[in-house]
Amino acid sequence: MKELYFDNAATTLVDPRVKQEMDKYFSEEYGNPGSFNTVGLRALKVLDESRATVARCINANPNEVIFTGSGTESINLAIQGVAKAMKQKGKHIIISNIEHHAVLETCEYLRKDEGYDITILQPDQYGIISPQSVEKAIRPDTILISIMFANNEIGTINPIKQIGEIARKNRVYFHTDACQAGGACKLDVKQLNVDLLTLNGSKIYAPKGVGILYIRQGVMIKPIIYGGGQERNLRSGTENVPYIVGFAKAMELAEQEREKDNASISKLRDKLIKGVMESIPLSILNGHPTERLPNNVNITFLNIEGEALLLYMNEHGICASSGSACTSKTLDPSHVIIGIGRPYEVAHGSIRFSLGKLTTEEDIDVLLKVLPSLVQKLREISPVNLTLEQVTPQIEGEN
Amino acid sequence: MIPMQPVAHVEVKAKVDAKKTEQWFYTDVVKEHFFNPRNLFKSQQEVDSYKPDGVGQVGSPACGDMMKMWIKIKEDKIIECKWQTFGCGSAIASTSMLSVMVTEKEGMKIEDALKIKPQDIVKRLVDLPARKFHCSVLGDKALRAAVNDHFAKTNQHNRITIEGARIIDKVLKITDKDIEEAVLEGAQTFEDVQKKTKVGVKDKTCIPEVEQLIRFYKEKYFG
């Protein structure tokens, strides 16, 4: 049975070209960039080149790019690092309720243990944070705004440039978690008016275990990891040269192939959405109809529970993910689907299909062929008979 | 309509020790019941034409699982046990197994059926991941509700058992049922239960009793 992988928002494969580029830096050029010898200096050169490549891709200066071990680590450094450096000015941070857990939990720690005040903004029904709501939340003691570029579950893309303008006008630092947008979206830090930006490797066809934090020159930030002073003293620990090389290569490829990939992937996305909406009644598209990542489809099949559908699909080799409580570690349903104002019933039945470079039209055809019967089977055994109007009164008639 | 593949289709690579991984991987018996649930109502027509002696419904789709159960009784034995669910894999499999357990060998005596504990179902399923344990309790509760309905319809009011909730935290009105639910969802310590329920945040006097209840429910369900 062929496995159909619709979970690219969780992680992508490593592009073979990326892997090939990395290969040499495991057992041949394995030096420590911090060593003062020729082997080490060669590693330092590669590190510098990789940094320059990444910087070029996001229109930054090389010294504004810090390599880290993951998106989560970059987010922790951005938020905790700015919070520590800026606490004399104030202890107020603005985020949204549909941020990644890395943002939510870091801020919860700052609130609970360090006495920071966190304003949590609510998006509209599509998951968009309005720049006006950000502006309204700014106070004299606000030190940081952190709003994600694109949402990992529903794929909605935020007006980052406009939020950035507001942040800059009000002289508040602005961080964006762009992990899901990496590759798919052109990220020009100058144009976006961001002060800090997080990316990670595992979503852009680079390996897991590498990320970056862009820190605009002049931003006050303190380290959260102490040691040998690598990465401008902001991220101690020997640099992971092969992974950094892979990250840079993946960024480079994304720059070259973005338009081509986005065009083909978004075509498949639209075909999937249209196909599901036409063949499966009581389906609700979660997220924005147009302002969404080219690879994201998030649909609730009303009256069935997401985990059960996930398991049925898995038996057909279809790998997707769900906002159902039963698939989460905490047994809470998706905070994103709840966060955009959908009722719990909708969150429990939500399924995310995230497409990738390897997704083919045939994959979508197979999915569209199998899915209606699986949904029907679970609906037949379900005692729940909700209607669209009962769960989405504000967007009646969407289907 | 594509028919569901029988369990023989399941590849061995998916077989992972549920306890070790804490993932949603299930044992072969769980999968077998999940993909081929027993005693299930498969359409509204079947439901409408059925003449049950008792009906019970628990949960809600908002909570993530809902279970409805219909039973037929003969000479105080459960001879048929039908059900429908909005629930996850564990809920489907464990209710399927429960329906088999109470109706096999010409039906189980009501009083014996009411003694079935979630552990007994899990044992027959070989195993369930610990954190999915709470999903298996729903079928059990639906059965109690259906049996009570039968008792009410047949004027056996003295046999109805109501699992009344008792308020433990007097400020936030948190009951023993809330604590039971938290333990079933995997809370191990007082701190875990407090995180889920906020018990004892205002009413500090209830803390010793809460700790006692946590021990009791841990023993009851996981002991």
Side-chain angles (χ1 to χ4, degrees), chain B:
Chain B
M1 169 103 185
I2 291 162
M4 288 303 303
Q5 297 294 329
V7 75
H9 185 69
V10 176
E11 286 176 35
V12 183
K13 68 177 178 188
K15 200 176 162 189
V16 176
D17 187 330
K19 272 214 171 118
K20 272 185 197 147
T21 63
E22 287 281 312
Q23 295 302 309
W24 50 265
F25 296 110
Y26 295 127
T27 65
D28 288 347
V29 186
V30 175
K31 281 184 158 186
E32 221 280 306
H33 276 266
F34 172 64
F35 289 114
N36 305 293
R38 320 290 200 275
N39 302 309
L40 192 69
F41 273 139
K42 288 184 179 134
S43 70
Q44 193 56 41
Q45 290 92 310
E46 280 189 58
V47 175
D48 293 342
S49 59
Y50 196 70
K51 302 261 176 298
D53 296 317
V55 183
Q57 181 177 313
V58 290
S60 81
C63 307
D65 39 20
M66 174 170 163
M67 188 70 67
K68 201 166 176 183
M69 200 171 265
W70 295 258
I71 51 171
K72 276 193 183 173
I73 307 287
K74 194 178 166 189
E75 291 163 4
D76 223 40
K77 281 180 177 175
I78 300 171
I79 52 163
E80 279 184 31
C81 174
K82 300 281 189 181
W83 55 282
Q84 280 196 315
T85 191
F86 170 102
C88 65
S90 306
I92 291 173
S94 52
T95 309
S96 172
M97 182 54 91
L98 174 66
S99 72
V100 169
M101 288 165 74
V102 295
T103 54
E104 67 194 351
K105 296 173 197 147
E106 289 160 11
M108 193 182 265
K109 276 188 178 165
I110 292 178
E111 54 171 294
D112 292 333
L114 291 176
K115 282 184 200 144
I116 293 176
K117 289 191 292 182
Q119 294 97 308
D120 303 327
I121 304 173
V122 172
K123 207 178 274 171
R124 287 280 296 265
L125 289 170
V126 184
D127 206 356
L128 266 189
R131 65 184 198 86
K132 301 309 295 289
F133 208 85
H134 78 119
C135 310
S136 71
V137 180
L138 211 63
D140 188 52
K141 286 188 172 164
L143 178 65
R144 275 160 213 279
V147 166
N148 279 339
D149 183 49
H150 163 68
F151 288 153
K153 279 179 179 157
T154 51
N155 282 321
Q156 304 183 71
H157 296 284
N158 57 325
R159 295 180 73 188
I160 295 177
T161 48
I162 302 290
E163 289 190 34
R166 191 164 55 90
I167 287 176
I168 306 293
D169 183 314
K170 290 170 195 70
V171 181
L172 295 172
K173 306 274 182 279
I174 291 159
T175 67
D176 52 352
K177 295 285 138 206
D178 298 321
I179 293 158
E180 180 181 15
E181 195 65 26
V183 171
L184 279 168
E185 285 179 9
Q188 294 275 337
T189 61
F190 175 74
E191 284 71 29
D192 295 344
V193 172
Q194 190 171 55
K195 209 175 162 192
K196 280 182 188 286
T197 63
K198 306 282 175 282
V199 71
V201 172
K202 295 267 166 57
D203 180 5
K204 305 275 183 217
T205 62
C206 73
I207 292 173
E209 193 175 3
V210 174
E211 286 177 329
Q212 208 174 356
L213 280 167
I214 294 168
R215 272 198 301 277
F216 171 75
Y217 288 123
K218 271 169 75 176
E219 184 65 27
K220 179 175 173 188
Y221 292 115
F222 301 104

Side-chain angles (χ1 to χ4, degrees), chain A residues 164-182:
Chain A
E165 268 167 26
I166 283 162
R168 199 142 292 175
K169 196 175 78 188
N170 289 276
R171 305 182 135 269
V172 177
Y173 289 153
F174 178 36
H175 166 250
T176 188
D177 161 15
C179 288
Q180 292 291 331

Side-chain angles (χ1 to χ4, degrees), chain A residues 1 3 302-305 307-312 314-316 325-331 344-345 348-349 369-370 373-374 376-386, chain B residues 1-5 9-11 13 24 26 31 34-35 37 40-44 61-64 66-68 84-90 92 131-132 134-135 185 196:
Chain A
M1 182 174 56
E3 271 183 351
L302 214 52
N303 299 328
I304 59 176
E305 201 278 332
E307 194 226 28
L309 181 57
L310 218 53
L311 291 170
Y312 272 1
N314 204 55
E315 279 308 292
H316 288 265
C326 268
T327 62
S328 75
K329 284 204 178 71
T330 54
L331 295 171
Y344 280 84
E345 293 88 328
H348 286 295
K369 202 171 136 204
V370 173
S373 64
L374 298 183
Q376 196 192 334
K377 186 178 159 110
L378 284 167
R379 280 193 178 147
E380 277 166 0
I381 69 168
S382 169
V384 184
N385 285 301
L386 294 168
Chain B
M1 169 103 185
I2 291 162
M4 288 303 303
Q5 297 294 329
H9 185 69
V10 176
E11 286 176 35
K13 68 177 178 188
W24 50 265
Y26 295 127
K31 281 184 158 186
F34 172 64
F35 289 114
L40 192 69
F41 273 139
K42 288 184 179 134
S43 70
Q44 193 56 41
C63 307
M66 174 170 163
M67 188 70 67
K68 201 166 176 183
Q84 280 196 315
T85 191
F86 170 102
C88 65
S90 306
I92 291 173
R131 65 184 198 86
K132 301 309 295 289
H134 78 119
C135 310
E185 285 179 9
K196 280 182 188 286

